[in-house]
Structure formats: structure tokens, C-alpha cells
């Protein structure tokens, strides 16, 4: 007992002091280079010792507060949806190693090669498609850096424009479903992940459109930033090129419409699409959808035969067929979720199978690619799991110490207006995002902030429109993801910069990379402002 009395000074009665000490220790440990997962786990024990005294380590070890920590970790680790994360990472690794992404880039480049800034626009569109396939950020930046950066630099594109386009577009996986950030947010806050995916569609594509509009405007104001490539006299142009693109779209639409039509016929013959009370109708699979799907197929075929012509359609298909495989993957993953066929985890597994089968069909899938993808998945998942364990333990310990209640009372009692409170939270997210991984932020901060937001008067959220009270948690999740978009580019530890540096030419320094981010960070903040001003944006498709 006398030995323990020597450490009595470690006990901190005031929650405010405990919070400041914990925050300071977190920054010190991270500055010393300790991994976030281990730093969080160490602080979890430190918080309990500061709150309950050092005898907790000796007289009651493994019971009481420590048992709560164990339960919190177990609850996170046994969540079924968590399995989707390594599956999406594995799918992204397979996509990165296969030729699917390169063929997609080539096909997009065919259609936009004669547009000022076309390669940068192609890069942004490619990033959107890749985000919709896997929702992984690091792999996209690396892949775009390998494919698009050499091409843009070779053609004389402005270096800052090329760097900013690749990193900002490559981080769109944070916003566009199936985003892993949204999955984690849904797990922690017990919010519908499907609803989060639906709500993030419009903000995600809005942000992507901001990038594309910026590229178009900037390159027209200053054409030297994006010189046009030499013109190929044999390449189609003008009306012929437009008709070929229409032919490609019609042929693709006819295939998709035909598959959906046969699917609806199958559901009709088996009686699976009968209208039942309490059962949602099958997406594009009901009897009422048959005339529309049939009419769509007839229209597509008619345009191919009588407007475009068979020869132009065949040429357009050859030029654009690199887009088919990505569309199939997106259809399998998102189609199975929104079609009510599977949940998030099963959709991730189906996406892996789709990419694997496409690789076999294209004769690109080898044992070395699969093995390397599995190893990369293991490393990435291991990092995420350790951060999850540490952050879950710290969040549980801080909750036991009364931290969330203290923070909530401090924020609510500050007499700030509702939007003032939201802006303070945004500032905290932005600052934390400069130094900490998003996994730690969502696990540590969200259990504190979300209950506060849910208690705020919903009519005072935003400046335009009214947000449905049932959608507040969904809106805050999308706002959080938009914040994390900024954190991927924010110095000094913006991960997108280090991903690109790993594949960039030697003459491009980290300072050059961060300099290229500045206009795109401004665009991200503008998109965040739109979300804060007009919260009902997330409810458009809900």
C-alpha cells in the first residue's frame, strides 16, 4: 500500500485537466513516432490510471474498467461489416495490378484527347470510377501517379496542376461509395451504411465536378498550363467522333438494359417480385419496369442501326471498350447493394470475385498478382485493425472518465450559436486531420461530437432548406468525410503527398507536391461550405 501511495499524484480528479493531459500526451507520442494504435492503447490505460488511481493496475487488473475496455474492443472486432474493409482493399490491390485501370485511362483519353486540359479531366473521371469500384484512397493516388503523371509531364502540363489533379481526385474514394470512411462512421455511430452511401452521392460528384470545372476554366484562361497533344490525322474528329461515342453508349446501354430486362422477366416468372406489404420493391425488377426496360433496349438498338450506323458503332465500341470492365465491377458492387441483393460485406466479396474473373478472362490474373495483393491487403488491414483496437480502447476509457459529457457541456455551455458550434467542430476535424489518421479521428472524436450534434436544434442547421431530423447523423457523417478529404491533402502529414512521392520523378519534392495542393484544398473547403450551408443536399436521394 505504501508503494502505491508513491504514485497517488497520478490521479487526476478534474475531467478538464485529464482531457488536456491526454491530448498533450497524444501529440507528444505521435511526434516521437509512436504508431497511432499503440499510442491510443497506452493512453487508454493512462486515462484509467489518472481517473481511478494507480491501484487499478494491481488490485483490480482485468476487472472493472479494464473489462469495459475489453468489451469495447471485442464489440468492434466482431462487427460483421468490418470484414468488408479487407475485401475492398483486396479488390483495389487486384485492380491496381491488373490492366483494367490502364485500359480505362486509354479509353477515356480517346474521347477527351482534343479537349484543353483533357488528360487532367480524364484523370479526375478515372478517379471517380475507381472510387466507385473500391473506395480505397492510397491505391488510387499511386495508380494515377504511375499512369497519368508521366503523360501530363511529357505533354508539358503545368506541374502543380498535374500534381493537384492526381492527389485531389485520387482522394475522392473518401466521399464516393463504397467509401471505407463511411463504412467506419456507420459502424461507430450505428448509422445505416446504405443510407450514408446514398447521401454521399451528390456531395461526392459535386466535389468531382468542382475539380473538373476548375481544370476547364484554369486551362482556358492560361492555355500554356495544358498544351494540346499533336493531332493524329487518322483519328476521328468532330461529328464522326461524337456519333462513335453515341454508338458506344447505345451498345453498352443495350447490353445493360437487356440484362435488366431478363432479370425482371426471371423475377416475374418466379413470383419473386410480387408486391408484399412491408417488403421493398425490387430495384428495376418489378413487372411495371418491363415496358420501360424493353423500350430502353429498343431505343438503344434503333439509334445504333438508324442514326449511328453499324460501322461507327463497331469503331466506337473498340475505342471505348476499356470502360466496360470498370462498369461491370461498379454494377456488381453498388448494384447488389442498392438492388437489395446483398449487404455491404457480401457486395465487397462479390466485387473481389468480379475483378478476379475479369482478370482471368483478360488473361492478366497470375499467382504473383494474387499473392502480392493478399500481402498488401494484410499489411493495410493490420494497420487499420491496430488503430481500431487502440482507438476503441481510448474512446471507452475516456467515456468511463466522463470525458464526452464534459466536452458536450463545455461546447453547449459556450453560448455559441448552432452553426458556431458546428464550425468549431469543423476546425477541430481539420486540425486533427493534419496530424492523425482518419480511423483514429472517427473512433475517438465521433462518439463525443455526434451526440452533441443530435441535440442541436435541427432547424438551425445550415442556412438554406430544412434538414429532416432523421437525417442529422447521416448529414454529419457526410460532412465528416468531406473534412477528411481536406485532411488527405493537408500538410504536414497529408498522406496523398507521400503516396504520390513514392512514384513521382525524383525532381518533384514534397514541397512541390504540397504547393500543387493549394487550389484543390480551396475547392474542397468550398464543397464543405456548400454542405454546411445547404444540409438537405444529403437528402436528395434518400
Amino acid at each position: 500500500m505504501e508503494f502505491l501511495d508513491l504514485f497517488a499524484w497520478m490521479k487526476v480528479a478534474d475531467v478538464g485537466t485529464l482531457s488536456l493531459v491526454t491530448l498533450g500526451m497524444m501529440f507528444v507520442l505521435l511526434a516521437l513516432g509512436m504508431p497511432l494504435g499503440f499510442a491510443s492503447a497506452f493512453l487508454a490505460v493512462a486515462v484509467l490510471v489518472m481517473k481511478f488511481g494507480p491501484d487499478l493496475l494491481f488490485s483490480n487488473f482485468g476487472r472493472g474498467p479494464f473489462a469495459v475496455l475489453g468489451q469495447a474492443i471485442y464489440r468492434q472486432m466482431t462487427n460483421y461489416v468490418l470484414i468488408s474493409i479487407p475485401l475492398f482493399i483486396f479488390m483495389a490491390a487486384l485492380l491496381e495490378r491488373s490492366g483494367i485501370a490502364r485500359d480505362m485511362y486509354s479509353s477515356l483519353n480517346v474521347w477527351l484527347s482534343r479537349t484543353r486540359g483533357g488528360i487532367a479531366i480524364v484523370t479526375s473521371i478515372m478517379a471517380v470510377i475507381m472510387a466507385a469500384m473500391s473506395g480505397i484512397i492510397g491505391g488510387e493516388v499511386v495508380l494515377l501517379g504511375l499512369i497519368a503523371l508521366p503523360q501530363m509531364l511529357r505533354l508539358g502540363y503545368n506541374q502543380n496542376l498535374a500534381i493537384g489533379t492526381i492527389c485531389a481526385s485520387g482522394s475522392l474514394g473518401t466521399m464516393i461509395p463504397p467509401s471505407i470512411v463511411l463504412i467506419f462512421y456507420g459502424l461507430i455511430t450505428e448509422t445505416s451504411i446504405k443510407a450514408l452511401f446514398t447521401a454521399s452521392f451528390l456531395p461526392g460528384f459535386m466535389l468531382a465536378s468542382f475539380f473538373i470545372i476548375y481544370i476547364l476554366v484554369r486551362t482556358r484562361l492560361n492555355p500554356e498550363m495544358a498544351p494540346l497533344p499533336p493531332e493524329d490525322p487518322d483519328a476521328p474528329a468532330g461529328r464522326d467522333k461524337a456519333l462513335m461515342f453515341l454508338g458506344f453508349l447505345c451498345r453498352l446501354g443495350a447490353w445493360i438494359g437487356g440484362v435488366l430486362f431478363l432479370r425482371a422477366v426471371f423475377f416475374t416468372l418466379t413470383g419473386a417480385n410480387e408486391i408484399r406489404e412491408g417488403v421493398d420493391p425490387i430495384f428495376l425488377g418489378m413487372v411495371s419496369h418491363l415496358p420501360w426496360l424493353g423500350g430502353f433496349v429498343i431505343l438503344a438498338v434503333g439509334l445504333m442501326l438508324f442514326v449511328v450506323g453499324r460501322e461507327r458503332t463497331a469503331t466506337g465500341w473498340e475505342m471505348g471498350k476499356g470502360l466496360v470492365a470498370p462498369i461491370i465491377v461498379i454494377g456488381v458492387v453498388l448494384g447488389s447493394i442498392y438492388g437489395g441483393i446483398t449487404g455491404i460485406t457480401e457486395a465487397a466479396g462479390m466485387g473481389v470475385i468480379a475483378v478476379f474473373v475479369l482478370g482471368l478472362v483478360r488473361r492478366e490474373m497470375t499467382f504473383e498478382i494474387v499473392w502480392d495483393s493478399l500481402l498488401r491487403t494484410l499489411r493495410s488491414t493490420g494497420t487499420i485493425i491496430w488503430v481500431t483496437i487502440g482507438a476503441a480502447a481510448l474512446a471507452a476509457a475516456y467515456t468511463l472518465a466522463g470525458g464526452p459529457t464534459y466536452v458536450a457541456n463545455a461546447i453547449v455551455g459556450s453560448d455559441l450559436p448552432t452553426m458556431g458550434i458546428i464550425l468549431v467542430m469543423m476546425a477541430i476535424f481539420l486540425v486533427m486531420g493534419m496530424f492523425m489518421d482518419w480511423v483514429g479521428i472517427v473512433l475517438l472524436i465521433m462518439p463525443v461530437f455526434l451526440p452533441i450534434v443530435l441535440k442541436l436544434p435541427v432547424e438551425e442547421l445550415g442556412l438554406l432548406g430544412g434538414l429532416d431530423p432523421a437525417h442529422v447523423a447521416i448529414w454529419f457523417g457526410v460532412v465528416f468525410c468531406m473534412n477528411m478529404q481536406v485532411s488527405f491533402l493537408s500538410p504536414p502529414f497529408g498522406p496523398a503527398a507521400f503516396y504520390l512521392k513514392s512514384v513521382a520523378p525524383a525532381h518533384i519534392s514534397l514541397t512541390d507536391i504540397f504547393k500543387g495542393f493549394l487550389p484543390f484544398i480551396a475547392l474542397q473547403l468550398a464543397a464543405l461550405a456548400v454542405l454546411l450551408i445547404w444540409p438537405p443536399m444529403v437528402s436528395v436521394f434518400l
Side-chain angles (χ1 to χ4, degrees):
M1 197 66 181
E2 293 179 359
F3 173 76
L4 294 178
D5 288 339
L6 296 175
F7 299 94
W9 58 270
M10 297 176 64
K11 190 170 182 178
V12 180
D14 180 57
V15 180
T17 304
L18 185 146
S19 301
L20 290 175
V21 171
T22 303
L23 184 62
M25 290 174 65
M26 173 65 79
F27 281 113
V28 169
L29 292 175
L30 292 178
L32 291 174
M34 180 178 286
L36 178 60
F38 296 128
S40 301
F42 172 80
L43 286 178
V45 177
V47 167
L48 292 183
V49 170
M50 285 189 288
K51 178 63 179 177
F52 300 103
D55 58 324
L56 182 73
L57 294 173
F58 302 96
S59 61
N60 206 25
F61 188 79
R63 292 174 293 173
F66 278 113
V68 175
L69 261 62
Q71 291 167 4
I73 295 170
Y74 180 80
R75 187 165 54 250
Q76 292 292 345
M77 292 298 100
T78 55
N79 195 312
Y80 180 63
V81 180
L82 193 65
I83 302 173
S84 65
I85 291 173
L87 290 173
F88 278 126
I89 294 173
F90 184 44
M91 181 170 65
L94 290 176
L95 282 168
E96 185 181 335
R97 293 295 304 276
S98 69
I100 293 175
R102 284 181 170 80
D103 288 351
M104 176 173 62
Y105 180 83
S106 299
S107 293
L108 288 170
N109 197 33
V110 165
W111 303 117
L112 293 169
S113 59
R114 300 305 302 167
T115 302
R116 179 74 63 182
I119 297 178
I121 296 170
V122 165
T123 301
S124 294
I125 296 173
M126 180 177 172
V128 171
I129 297 173
M130 290 183 64
M133 284 193 285
S134 65
I136 306 298
I137 296 92
E140 288 182 33
V141 175
V142 170
L143 188 58
L144 292 173
L146 289 170
I147 297 175
L149 184 59
Q151 181 81 338
M152 285 193 273
L153 294 179
R154 181 180 65 82
L155 291 173
Y157 271 58
N158 177 271
Q159 181 175 286
N160 289 342
L161 178 66
I163 289 170
T165 299
I166 288 172
C167 291
S169 301
S171 63
L172 285 170
T174 307
M175 285 295 301
I176 296 176
S179 163
I180 288 184
V181 182
L182 287 171
I183 292 174
F184 249 93
Y185 176 87
L187 287 175
I188 300 305
T189 62
E190 298 182 355
T191 305
S192 167
I193 296 174
K194 182 178 178 180
L196 287 167
F197 281 2
T198 305
S200 66
F201 263 113
L202 187 56
F205 286 105
M206 174 190 69
L207 181 58
S209 69
F210 280 9
F211 295 158
I212 293 173
I213 292 170
Y214 169 77
I215 293 167
L216 286 170
V217 173
R218 188 78 189 276
T219 54
R220 273 155 182 73
L221 292 176
N222 188 359
E224 294 181 357
M225 295 190 71
L228 289 173
E231 188 169 358
D232 184 357
D234 298 326
R239 182 173 179 272
D240 274 349
K241 191 173 185 179
L243 286 174
M244 288 176 184
F245 184 62
L246 177 62
F248 166 76
L249 292 179
C250 289
R251 185 167 177 178
L252 181 64
W255 276 104
I256 295 173
V259 170
L260 291 174
F261 180 82
L262 293 175
R263 172 175 169 265
V265 169
F266 173 78
F267 287 147
T268 302
L269 293 176
T270 57
N273 59 0
E274 292 179 0
I275 299 176
R276 300 182 182 90
E277 186 177 352
V279 178
D280 293 334
I282 298 174
F283 180 70
L284 295 179
M286 306 300 289
V287 176
S288 59
H289 296 142
L290 286 171
W292 293 99
L293 293 171
F296 178 78
V297 173
I298 292 171
L299 175 63
V301 173
L303 287 173
M304 280 192 295
L305 295 177
F306 303 111
V307 177
V308 179
R310 293 185 178 181
E311 186 176 342
R312 283 200 190 100
T313 299
T315 305
W317 182 259
E318 286 298 316
M319 293 165 64
K321 64 182 181 181
L323 297 172
V324 175
I327 290 172
I328 290 174
V329 175
I330 293 171
V332 168
V333 176
L334 296 184
S336 58
I337 294 172
Y338 290 104
I341 301 171
T342 68
I344 304 296
T345 303
E346 294 81 3
M350 290 175 65
V352 171
I353 294 173
V355 173
F356 184 78
V357 171
L358 286 169
L360 290 177
V361 171
R362 294 160 55 93
R363 298 181 180 180
E364 295 172 343
M365 199 59 61
T366 63
F367 176 79
E368 288 76 15
I369 288 178
V370 175
W371 180 252
D372 183 64
S373 299
L374 285 170
L375 289 178
R376 294 175 64 179
T377 302
L378 183 63
R379 285 193 291 268
S380 300
T381 305
T383 301
I384 291 175
I385 292 300
W386 277 114
V387 172
T388 302
I389 290 173
L394 180 54
Y398 192 60
T399 301
L400 283 174
T405 303
Y406 169 80
V407 174
N409 292 336
I411 293 177
V412 175
S414 62
D415 294 329
L416 286 171
T418 297
M419 288 309 296
I421 292 173
I422 296 295
L423 290 176
V424 168
M425 292 180 177
M426 296 303 101
I428 292 172
F429 281 144
L430 291 172
V431 172
M432 295 295 287
M434 294 180 184
F435 304 98
M436 188 181 293
D437 190 78
W438 62 267
V439 181
I441 297 174
V442 73
L443 287 166
L444 296 173
I445 309 296
M446 204 53 67
V448 179
F449 280 1
L450 184 59
I452 299 172
V453 175
L454 293 176
K455 292 178 182 178
L456 295 174
V458 69
E459 63 275 6
E460 295 181 12
L461 293 175
L463 301 178
L464 300 175
L467 184 63
D468 188 327
H471 297 158
V472 173
I474 296 171
W475 167 74
F476 196 64
V478 177
V479 168
F480 169 74
C481 283
M482 191 69 80
N483 255 288
M484 293 303 98
Q485 280 277 151
V486 182
S487 75
F488 277 103
L489 306 186
S490 298
F493 299 120
F498 295 93
Y499 289 135
L500 182 62
K501 178 59 181 171
S502 67
V503 295
H507 70 273
I508 297 179
S509 66
L510 277 174
T511 304
D512 295 330
I513 294 175
F514 280 119
K515 191 185 301 181
F517 287 171
L518 296 178
F520 291 89
I521 291 177
L523 293 171
Q524 291 173 331
L525 292 174
L528 177 61
V530 172
L531 265 178
L532 295 175
I533 293 170
W534 185 39
M537 170 185 279
V538 303
S539 305
V540 172
F541 299 121
L542 289 175

